[in-house]
Amino acid sequence: MAGSLVRPATPVRPHSAPKPRRPRGLRHRLVGTRRARIGLLNASPIVLYLLVLFVFPILGTLLLSLKSNDGALTLHWYAEALSGANLSVLITTLRISAETSLLSLAVGFVLANALSRLRPIWAGLVMLIVVVPHFISALVRTYGWIILLGDHGLANQSLTGLKVPGAPFRMLYNETGVVIGTTAVMLPYTVLLLYGVMRGVDRRLLAAAASMGAGRVRIFARIYLPLVAPGLASAGLLSFILCLGYYITPALMGGTKQTMVASLINDQVMKQDQWNGAAAQGVVLLLITFAGLLLLKTARSIGAGARKRSTS
C-alpha cells in the first residue's frame, strides 16, 4: 500500500550552459534596432537646423576673430577687446548685468513667493499681469520707461508731491535708468523660474519645523532657502546672461558711460566696418556665458554633495 504511493523519481536533465553573447559594437547598439533608426531619422532635421543656424555661425565668428586684415591668423583683436576703452566697456557690461541680476532676484523672489502662496486661479491671473508686458515690443516698453522716469514723469512728480528730499531725481541716461529698464525686461523670466520652484516646495516641511519650535527666520534659512536655492541660481544666471548681450534698453536709457558690449559691436559693424573686432567681442561674451554655465553646474554639484553628506 505504502509502496504504491511512492512516485517514481523524474530523471534530471542535464542543464545546458547558456551561449555566450557576442559583444555588440557602438554602431550596432545605435542603429541596430528599428526604433533607433526611426529616432535618428526624426532627429536629423533638428540636428541640421542646429548646425546651420548655430554651429556654423559660431565657427565662422571664431575664425573671423582670429584673422587679421591681410588674412593671417592673429590674436590682435582679442588683445584689443581686453584692453583700453574696450575693457572698460566689458567691465561696465558685467557690472550692469550683475546689478540687474541681483535686483531681478530681489524683486522676483518677493513676487514669486507671494504668488506661490495664492490659489492657482489667482496666481494665474497675477502671472498674466507679470508676463503679458513681455509680449509688447521692447522698444515700446523702453520708451514707456523713458516717459515714466523723465524729469517731469510720473515717478518724479509723485516723489516731488510727497516732498521727498532731493526730488526730482535724475533717473535717465545714467546707470540707474539702465538697471531699472533692464530689470523690468528680465523680471518675467525670474518670476516664472522662481514660481515653478517655489510651487514645488512641500509646505508640510515648513509646518513640521514650526511645530517643533523653529522660528520663521530659522525655517526660512535652514529649510526654505536651501530648497529654492537651485531656482535662485538658475534665475540669476539667466538674467545675467540675457543682460550681457542686451542692446535696446541700455542704448536708449544709458549715457556714454553706460555703453555695453552690444552697443560697441553695433558701432564696430555699422560705423567702423570692423567685423574682426566685433567678432572677437562676441566670442568674449560667449566665453563668459560658458564660464557662467560651468560655474552654475559646479555650484549645483557642490550643493548636491553637501546635501548627501548632511543626510548620511
Side-chain angles (χ1 to χ4, degrees):
M1 184 68 179
S4 62
L5 296 177
V6 179
R7 296 181 179 179
T10 57
V12 179
R13 296 181 179 179
H15 181 69
S16 57
K19 297 180 180 180
R21 297 181 179 179
R22 287 184 293 181
R24 297 185 176 184
L26 178 61
R27 181 180 178 184
H28 183 77
R29 288 197 301 268
L30 290 176
V31 298
T33 63
R34 183 171 178 269
R35 181 178 298 179
R37 290 196 297 269
I38 294 176
L40 290 175
L41 183 62
N42 292 332
S44 57
I46 301 176
V47 174
L48 183 62
Y49 172 84
L50 293 175
L51 287 175
V52 172
L53 296 183
F54 289 96
V55 178
F56 290 158
I58 290 175
L59 291 178
T61 302
L62 179 61
L63 292 176
L64 187 63
S65 66
L66 294 173
K67 287 184 178 181
S68 61
N69 292 328
D70 56 0
L73 294 178
T74 180
L75 294 176
H76 167 73
W77 306 114
Y78 288 98
E80 187 177 283
L82 299 175
S83 62
N86 292 338
L87 179 61
S88 177
V89 170
L90 180 61
I91 293 175
T92 301
T93 302
L94 294 175
R95 185 179 66 250
I96 291 177
S97 299
E99 293 169 352
T100 300
S101 178
L102 292 176
L103 187 58
S104 298
L105 281 179
V107 178
F109 185 90
V110 175
L111 186 56
N113 186 39
L115 286 175
S116 65
R117 298 175 183 271
L118 296 177
R119 293 184 177 181
I121 183 172
W122 295 112
L125 292 176
V126 178
M127 189 64 72
L128 282 177
I129 300 176
V130 176
V131 175
V132 165
H134 179 68
F135 296 100
I136 302 174
S137 171
L139 187 63
V140 174
R141 282 181 289 162
T142 302
Y143 276 114
W145 278 107
I146 291 175
I147 296 172
L148 185 65
L149 300 178
D151 293 338
H152 302 286
L154 179 61
N156 273 319
Q157 285 183 357
S158 301
L159 294 174
T160 304
L162 294 173
K163 307 298 182 181
V164 177
F169 299 100
R170 187 170 181 268
M171 293 184 286
L172 278 181
Y173 312 117
N174 52 21
E175 194 160 322
T176 301
V178 173
V179 172
I180 291 175
T182 51
T183 300
V185 174
M186 306 304 164
L187 191 60
Y189 301 104
T190 307
V191 173
L192 284 173
L193 279 173
L194 292 180
Y195 174 75
V197 174
M198 293 177 178
R199 199 72 181 183
V201 173
D202 192 351
R203 298 288 173 176
R204 293 176 296 179
L205 298 174
L206 310 181
S211 66
M212 297 178 68
R216 292 185 176 181
V217 177
R218 191 176 183 85
I219 292 174
F220 176 81
R222 298 293 298 274
I223 299 177
Y224 190 70
L225 191 58
L227 289 175
V228 300
L232 286 172
S234 300
L237 182 63
L238 178 63
S239 300
F240 181 80
I241 290 175
L242 291 177
C243 191
L244 280 177
Y246 201 61
Y247 172 74
I248 296 177
T249 301
L252 294 178
M253 298 183 67
T256 55
K257 295 182 179 180
Q258 289 76 45
T259 303
M260 297 180 67
V261 174
S263 300
L264 180 62
I265 292 175
N266 179 72
D267 290 341
Q268 287 181 336
V269 171
M270 303 300 295
K271 297 179 181 180
Q272 304 175 19
D273 195 24
Q274 189 54 264
W275 288 80
N276 304 82
Q281 296 281 353
V283 172
V284 169
L285 283 185
L286 185 63
L287 293 177
I288 294 174
T289 301
F290 285 156
L293 293 174
L294 182 60
L295 181 63
L296 177 61
K297 185 177 180 180
T298 305
R300 284 182 174 178
S301 301
I302 294 174
R307 285 193 295 270
K308 285 184 179 180
R309 287 193 298 269
S310 62
T311 55
S312 60

